[in-house]
Amino acid sequence: FIKEVNRDDHNTLLEIAKGLSEHFIEKTKSSIIVPIFAHFTRTDKKSKKTFFAMTNCLADPGPYSKIYDLKGCADDKLLTENGKRVNVVHKRIWKLNLWCGCGGEDRTNYLRGKLEALHEPDLKLTKTQKDLLINAIKNDCNFMKKYGLMDYSLLVAVINHADGKDINAQTLTEVGAGTALVAPDGNGKQRITIVGIIDFLQQWGLGKQVAKGIKVLERNKATIPPPRYADRFMQHFERIILVVDGDDDLEKQILARTKTKLPHRCYPFLRR
């Protein structure tokens, strides 16, 4: 997977490259950061552009029942549902109709997807899978803290009722970006969950500090310093992931998760 990067991300990658490489090859620690394998510049007569080559952690063709972009805050969103992309309809100050609750079906679906992504994502794993995943997230968040990185996301893709996989054959000792986590869905069928941490090159610079000030009225925002961002990220996924083979049944876990819902933005029409 080839992605063009801007100047800030390019500079960040140069700064953390050695540490990131050491983090990836550390045998005693697992990681779900999507690996970057090459970082290069292409120059022609008119322009100079920088790219990197990274793993496509969603190499499975799907179809995916859900794809989420999760930060553990109000910026969480549902990207795809039942194989169809969820159209992004942002509320902006100049779009007066959206402030009156008149955004149409696309806006309604977008808001519903955001609330689902933050409070009730379709994240169900076995206890072993959850423990391994949380351990990897903690390792990665400690790395992010060290290098002052924030605004990263957990990309989560779910394939429900996946045929052709033997649940009992999967014995995991660690997880990585793109690992297919196969688990029962509670209805005699099975599901595959694929995860990876993406967009991890944002540093806590002046631009982010200004954005934090501009969004002063927002609750549970993404623009917070790296230590707080990492701690919230870890705590959120410990709370939000359901266990399909634990001591408590799913209904109890869902109820407990509902009781600890995080605040969303303070926009007045969001919960319509």
Side-chain angles (χ1 to χ4, degrees):
F1 181 74
I2 306 295
K3 181 179 180 180
E4 184 177 356
V5 293
N6 60 36
R7 183 178 62 181
D8 290 341
D9 287 355
H10 167 69
N11 290 334
T12 298
L13 189 52
L14 290 177
E15 182 179 330
I16 71 170
K18 184 176 184 294
L20 184 61
S21 299
E22 293 172 348
H23 182 70
F24 283 146
I25 63 177
E26 173 60 63
K27 294 182 178 180
T28 62
K29 295 180 179 180
S30 56
S31 171
I32 58 167
I33 295 175
V34 176
I36 295 174
F37 297 112
H39 180 205
F40 58 94
T41 298
R42 181 177 179 181
T43 304
D44 57 30
K45 293 181 180 180
K46 296 183 178 180
S47 65
K48 179 180 179 180
K49 297 181 179 180
T50 303
F51 304 85
F52 59 62
M54 63 192 304
T55 296
N56 178 8
C57 64
L58 300 187
D60 191 303
Y64 295 102
S65 56
K66 306 273 188 179
I67 300 179
Y68 299 100
D69 182 314
L70 305 177
K71 300 174 185 286
C73 69
D75 283 0
D76 287 0
K77 51 186 172 286
L78 175 65
L79 302 177
T80 299
E81 185 171 32
N82 297 325
K84 296 182 179 180
R85 180 174 294 276
V86 176
N87 292 328
V88 176
V89 185
H90 290 301
K91 182 186 290 184
R92 295 291 184 258
I93 193 169
W94 59 85
K95 296 181 180 179
L96 298 181
N97 61 310
L98 299 184
W99 288 88
C100 298
C102 305
E105 184 178 356
D106 281 351
R107 175 65 178 171
T108 299
N109 289 337
Y110 177 64
L111 290 182
R112 178 187 55 78
K114 284 183 67 66
L115 290 172
E116 175 187 324
L118 178 61
H119 300 303
E120 300 170 348
D122 190 13
L123 255 174
K124 302 184 185 78
L125 302 174
T126 66
K127 186 179 186 305
T128 297
Q129 290 168 349
K130 178 177 180 178
D131 290 345
L132 291 172
L133 178 58
I134 294 301
N135 181 61
I137 288 174
K138 288 181 177 179
N139 291 335
D140 290 335
C141 283
N142 288 331
F143 170 82
M144 305 293 188
K145 281 185 182 181
K146 179 179 178 180
Y147 286 92
L149 304 173
M150 43 78 67
D151 211 18
Y152 40 89
S153 301
L154 185 69
L155 184 68
V156 178
V158 180
I159 304 174
N160 274 317
H161 313 314
D163 296 324
K165 297 281 187 181
D166 183 355
I167 297 175
N168 298 321
Q170 189 180 53
T171 303
L172 292 176
T173 57
E174 64 176 9
V175 298
T179 300
L181 303 172
V182 185
D185 68 355
N187 297 312
K189 297 185 179 181
Q190 54 196 17
R191 68 207 324 266
I192 297 174
T193 304
I194 301 170
V195 299
I197 291 179
I198 60 172
D199 299 336
F200 53 88
L201 296 176
Q202 293 290 318
Q203 291 186 311
W204 182 246
L206 179 60
K208 291 296 181 181
Q209 295 176 44
V210 171
K212 180 177 182 291
I214 292 173
K215 299 177 181 179
V216 66
L217 296 180
E218 289 188 16
R219 297 178 295 170
N220 200 28
K221 54 195 169 188
T223 47
I224 58 175
R228 287 174 54 198
Y229 191 99
D231 290 341
R232 181 180 65 185
F233 197 85
M234 290 185 284
Q235 294 165 8
H236 179 73
F237 290 106
E238 280 193 281
R239 180 184 67 85
I240 210 74
I241 298 173
L242 303 176
V243 175
V244 295
D245 61 350
D247 295 332
D248 292 334
D249 61 32
L250 282 176
E251 292 299 325
K252 288 183 179 179
Q253 294 179 64
I254 291 171
L255 180 61
R257 188 170 71 170
T258 302
K259 288 181 178 179
T260 55
K261 280 186 176 181
L262 298 174
H264 211 287
R265 301 187 194 278
C266 58
Y267 299 156
F269 300 106
L270 185 60
R271 296 186 178 275
R272 286 191 174 186

